[in-house]
Amino acid sequence: MALILTINPGTTTTRLGLFRPEGDRVSQVLERTLEHDEATMARFDSIAAQLPFRASAVQDFLDRVPGGVRLAAVAGRGGMLSPVPAGVIAVDDALVDFALHRPAHHHASNLGAPLANRIALAAGCPAYVVDPVSVDELPAVARLSGYPDIPRFSFVHALNIRACGRRLAADLGKPFEELDAVVAHLGAGISVAAIRKGRIVDSTNRMENSPFSPERAGGLPPMPLIDLCYSGQYSKAELKRRLYGQGGVYAYLGTKDMRRVEEMIAKGDARAELVWQAMVYQIIKAIGSMAAVLGFRPDGIVLTGGMVQSTRLRPAVIGQIGGLAPVTCYPGSHESEALAQGVARVLSGAEVARSWPVAPEVEGLPW
């Protein structure tokens, strides 16, 4: 039987999955993370230049699967595209060109579509991306920031957030299109989103006003930030790198590993305890604000992402927000399965893939 291949590029990894489509659902056959040497990756002068190297590594993986692999489709991580509606987008040359050369931000995930395209062309099957981080379903009322030149926009972990929303809806026995929920993705980056009737109608925006995370500064007071920008201490690129990659917990404690932070706390490190508490405090506030968007009547609250595996963090968050709605935990990342399920819905006819370019579907006031 033909399988769905999923491709999720990270900075020094390429996560691959093989899934068997079963109607609009999937079952996992194999998952593998290809590790790429940091020194090797550093030799590439751009993310786009990594494409041939990574494509060769993916093809080598497929060639080594016992019995061979026949592909029905390839699903790549969507990357940092321009604003798009939720769902599945068919990959073509124009999308590949945009992802490589004109993305909203440069990130390894932008290689998802180009890699999917290369492997799919060789296999003679279609390629898709599913729920990129640039999924934008904000209504008009959520876009006004307070200054006309700086509109709010959506930039969230849409793939995992929507997958967890679908999973919660199934657990509750109701259609996803009728679900109201708050989903908090707690990983290296943090996104907290309000889902109304299956649409992400508001969020904390993972790059700008989220709680600080293991490596990202999150939302910062604007006046001191403006002063820092004009202080002459950092170039534009240096400051972006410090806030997005070297911010958050790392800026305070010198580590992005929350397991190590919890070890520091266990040994009596008061500073580590304060930083951890502050991050949890901001997560709780963000969940509360997204619950307010839903009139404080969500069907449920979901905690997902790598940090939810922590037996210290889960009760700390649930103890504060449990009175708002039932809390469900889906620890870890579900991105590979979500990619495969999106493509399975297209292959089964349950969903129609969009063509690139595609503009977001902006609604009017939600109330």
Side-chain angles (χ1 to χ4, degrees):
M1 183 179 185
L3 304 177
I4 298 170
L5 170 68
T6 64
I7 304 176
N8 187 351
T11 304
T12 58
T13 62
T14 304
R15 185 179 300 169
L16 305 174
L18 286 170
F19 294 82
R20 181 178 295 106
E22 299 169 349
D24 61 354
R25 309 296 295 174
V26 297
S27 60
Q28 187 179 90
V29 175
L30 182 64
E31 188 164 25
R32 182 73 48 80
T33 298
L34 307 181
E35 304 281 349
H36 308 305
D37 180 68
E38 288 188 28
T40 299
M41 305 309 286
R43 288 200 290 268
F44 295 103
D45 59 7
S46 68
I47 290 173
Q50 299 173 12
L51 179 58
F53 169 80
R54 295 210 194 216
S56 177
V58 174
Q59 189 60 57
D60 182 62
F61 159 78
L62 292 172
D63 292 342
R64 292 174 181 270
V65 175
V69 177
R70 184 164 63 93
L71 295 179
V74 184
R77 182 77 183 274
M80 299 191 174
L81 307 178
S82 57
V84 297
V88 182
I89 304 172
V91 177
D92 59 14
D93 290 342
L95 176 51
V96 169
D97 180 69
F98 187 93
L100 287 177
H101 305 299
R102 294 186 303 282
H105 299 277
H106 291 283
H107 188 270
S109 62
N110 297 335
L111 290 170
L115 284 169
N117 188 61
R118 283 213 178 186
I119 300 302
L121 285 174
C125 67
Y128 303 96
V129 296
V130 181
D131 288 335
V133 295
S134 58
V135 164
D136 193 333
E137 301 177 296
L138 299 188
V141 71
R143 295 185 182 278
L144 274 65
S145 67
Y147 190 71
D149 291 348
I150 309 177
R152 292 190 66 235
F153 65 98
S154 183
F155 219 64
V156 299
H157 296 86
L159 182 63
N160 194 38
I161 284 172
R162 280 173 50 83
C164 288
R166 288 182 181 277
R167 185 172 172 183
L168 178 64
D171 289 348
L172 296 177
K174 67 187 308 178
F176 177 56
E177 293 73 20
E178 296 179 10
L179 180 75
D180 290 352
V182 177
V183 181
H185 175 102
L186 310 178
I190 291 175
S191 294
V192 184
I195 296 177
R196 178 190 287 117
K197 306 307 178 198
R199 296 171 65 88
I200 299 175
V201 296
D202 207 341
S203 74
T204 57
N205 190 322
R206 61 186 289 216
M207 294 186 70
E208 295 190 344
N209 55 0
S210 267
F212 74 78
S213 76
E215 64 175 33
R216 298 171 192 173
L220 297 172
M223 294 306 178
L225 179 58
I226 292 170
D227 291 341
L228 189 61
C229 290
Y230 285 90
S231 69
Q233 289 181 256
Y234 309 106
S235 68
K236 180 179 179 180
E238 287 170 340
L239 188 54
K240 282 188 173 183
R241 186 168 58 250
R242 282 180 175 268
L243 300 183
Y244 190 78
Q246 298 175 0
V249 173
Y250 179 81
Y252 288 111
L253 301 178
T255 181
K256 303 177 184 182
D257 188 338
M258 295 309 298
R259 294 169 299 183
R260 184 179 170 197
V261 172
E262 291 188 6
E263 291 172 359
M264 294 164 69
I265 294 170
K267 293 178 180 178
D269 190 321
R271 181 173 173 80
E273 172 78 23
L274 177 60
V275 171
W276 185 90
Q277 287 181 353
M279 183 187 69
V280 170
Y281 177 77
Q282 291 193 6
I283 290 169
I284 291 165
K285 284 204 302 180
I287 292 172
S289 70
M290 291 300 111
V293 171
L294 302 175
F296 292 107
R297 293 184 297 274
D299 298 317
I301 298 171
V302 174
L303 304 180
T304 184
M307 282 199 286
V308 182
Q309 295 170 341
S310 166
T311 56
R312 180 185 181 90
L313 182 138
R314 285 199 307 271
V317 174
I318 294 171
Q320 292 282 10
I321 64 169
L324 292 174
V327 181
T328 303
C329 294
Y330 301 135
S333 170
H334 310 275
E335 292 167 343
S336 295
E337 184 178 3
L339 286 171
Q341 285 181 340
V343 170
R345 290 194 295 272
V346 170
L347 296 180
S348 68
E351 183 174 332
V352 177
R354 302 174 187 271
S355 299
W356 180 266
V358 55
E361 300 166 346
V362 179
E363 293 188 340
L365 300 181
W367 301 294

